[in-house]
């Protein structure tokens, strides 16, 4: 494995940061400074230290989690239990969730310790599709579809990027009219989907991520359940 890839996988840094650390001479392989990012090392055999600290290699793990509401997509627990609690028995060191779902959002969350894939899927430059099922207040229609396509103003310098909105149906409920929709966005800004609907005068009552790139949520997973990705799922995700 290349040295920069090892740092990315085991050290949780981006490939660019790994290259910089190596070129700065901060990385030693078997006690010798190595300044070549492309240097081949034998993971599990060669000793790699960054700024004097040894990096352990635990192998890469990939899990699909059906996130329930009530958990935070973070490794720290400032605002509630971490989704990582739901994978407490799963092998893999240094696992982290790829991208954020709000505490009350459900659905697909990829959990891995592959820093490179994590960066790849969440990088704003990559435009990876994220599709959500949502229930929103009122009767959504053509105006909403057009506004999403054109990019709504969410109160930031740049409007939200173009998004695809599909209206699945409208229901009269005790609390008022509710529309069921599917929204596909390519960005991952803070509360992105909720803010986009707020911009067209709608409140998100329920939100669930149903796919990320080529990876759909396995609906046979119960809420809170997880499973490893299959080789084929992983291969397709890498190609996104
Ligand atoms: N957009 C939101 O508003 N919330 C999420 O959890 C994900 C996308």
């Amino acid at each position: 494995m290349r040295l920069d890839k090892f740092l990315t996988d085991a050290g949780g840094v981006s490939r660019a940061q790994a290259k910089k650390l190596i070129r700065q001479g901060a990385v030693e392989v078997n006690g010798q400074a190595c300044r070549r990012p492309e240097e081949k090392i034998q993971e599990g055999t060669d000793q790699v230290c960054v700024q004097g600290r040894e990096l352990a290699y635990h192998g890469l793990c990939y899990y699909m989690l059906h996130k329930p509401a009530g958990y935070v997509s973070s490794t720290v627990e400032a605002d509630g239990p971490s989704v990582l609690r739901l994978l407490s028995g799963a092998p893999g060191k240094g696992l982290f969730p790829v991208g954020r779902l709000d505490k009350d959002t459900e659905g697909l969350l990829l959990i891995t310790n592959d820093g490179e894939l994590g960066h790849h899927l969440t990088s704003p430059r990559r435009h990876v599709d994220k599709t959500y099922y949502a229930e929103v207040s009122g009767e959504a229609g053509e105006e909403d579809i057009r506004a999403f396509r054109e990019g709504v103003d969410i109160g930031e310098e740049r409007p939200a990027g173009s998004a695809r909105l599909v209206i699945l149906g409208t229901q009269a409920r005790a609390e008022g009219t509710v529309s069921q929709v599917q929204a596909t966005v390519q960005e991952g800004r803070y509360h992105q989907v909720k803010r986009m609907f707020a911009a067209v005068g709608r409140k998100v009552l329920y939100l669930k991520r149903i796919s990320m790139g080529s990876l759909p949520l396995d609906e046979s997973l119960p809420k809170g359940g997880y499973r490893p990705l299959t080789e084929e799922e992983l291969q397709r995700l890498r190609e996104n």
Side-chain angles (χ1 to χ4, degrees):
M1 176 187 281
R2 282 173 60 118
L3 182 57
D4 55 354
K5 173 142 175 54
F6 180 84
L7 250 66
T8 303
D9 292 347
V13 294
S14 69
R15 192 62 90 91
Q17 288 165 330
K19 285 191 170 125
K20 194 166 167 201
L21 281 167
I22 296 165
R23 292 200 175 108
Q24 282 169 345
V27 180
E28 288 183 352
V29 178
N30 300 326
Q32 299 275 310
C34 178
R35 290 173 186 265
R36 288 168 19 94
E38 67 278 16
E39 182 78 17
K40 285 282 181 353
I41 59 140
Q42 190 60 54
E43 61 272 18
T45 305
D46 287 329
Q47 186 200 46
V48 178
C49 295
V50 178
Q51 288 158 342
R53 189 174 58 88
E54 183 172 356
L55 280 190
Y57 188 73
H58 299 286
L60 296 178
C61 303
Y62 306 87
Y63 299 102
M64 174 191 297
L65 170 70
H66 188 162
K67 179 191 175 296
Y71 287 81
V72 293
S73 321
S74 152
T75 52
V76 288
E77 301 204 317
D79 188 30
S82 162
V83 287
L84 294 181
R85 285 182 184 237
L86 299 164
L87 288 94
S88 56
K93 289 267 164 31
L95 294 173
F96 62 89
V98 176
R100 294 278 164 103
L101 289 182
D102 296 336
K103 191 172 173 184
D104 60 353
T105 301
E106 298 182 348
L108 173 67
L109 195 57
L110 177 65
I111 309 278
T112 183
N113 50 8
D114 182 341
E116 188 176 16
L117 185 71
H119 283 292
H120 176 96
L121 291 172
T122 52
S123 163
R125 282 181 292 140
R126 299 273 182 179
H127 305 294
V128 174
D129 278 352
K130 274 117 357 206
T131 300
Y132 296 84
Y133 165 79
E135 294 179 359
V136 300
S137 61
E139 188 167 348
E142 286 303 320
E143 274 288 286
D144 304 76
I145 294 174
R146 189 178 49 74
F148 270 51
R149 190 173 53 235
E150 288 174 2
V152 295
D153 178 359
I154 54 171
E156 289 184 13
E157 211 176 303
R158 265 187 316 112
S162 177
R164 207 162 52 243
L165 186 63
V166 177
I167 311 221
L168 304 173
T170 301
Q171 288 177 336
R173 294 191 187 164
E175 67 269 28
T177 305
V178 172
S179 297
Q180 295 151 311
V181 301
Q182 249 180 37
T184 302
V185 301
Q186 293 188 327
E187 299 165 307
R189 297 199 227 172
Y190 181 64
H191 292 330
Q192 169 126 12
V193 174
K194 291 176 184 164
R195 287 160 71 207
M196 288 173 73
F197 278 106
V200 294
R202 307 204 180 282
K203 186 168 165 44
V204 172
L205 308 169
Y206 174 76
L207 190 61
K208 175 180 178 181
R209 182 155 64 194
I210 56 174
S211 70
M212 183 172 189
S214 59
L215 187 67
L217 174 67
D218 178 347
E219 292 284 355
S220 72
L221 276 178
K223 280 182 204 172
Y226 69 89
R227 66 159 173 80
L229 292 193
T230 64
E231 273 304 315
E232 197 190 330
E233 285 170 336
L234 184 55
Q235 192 52 41
R236 275 193 280 128
L237 258 192
R238 288 205 168 109
E239 286 163 11
N240 274 143

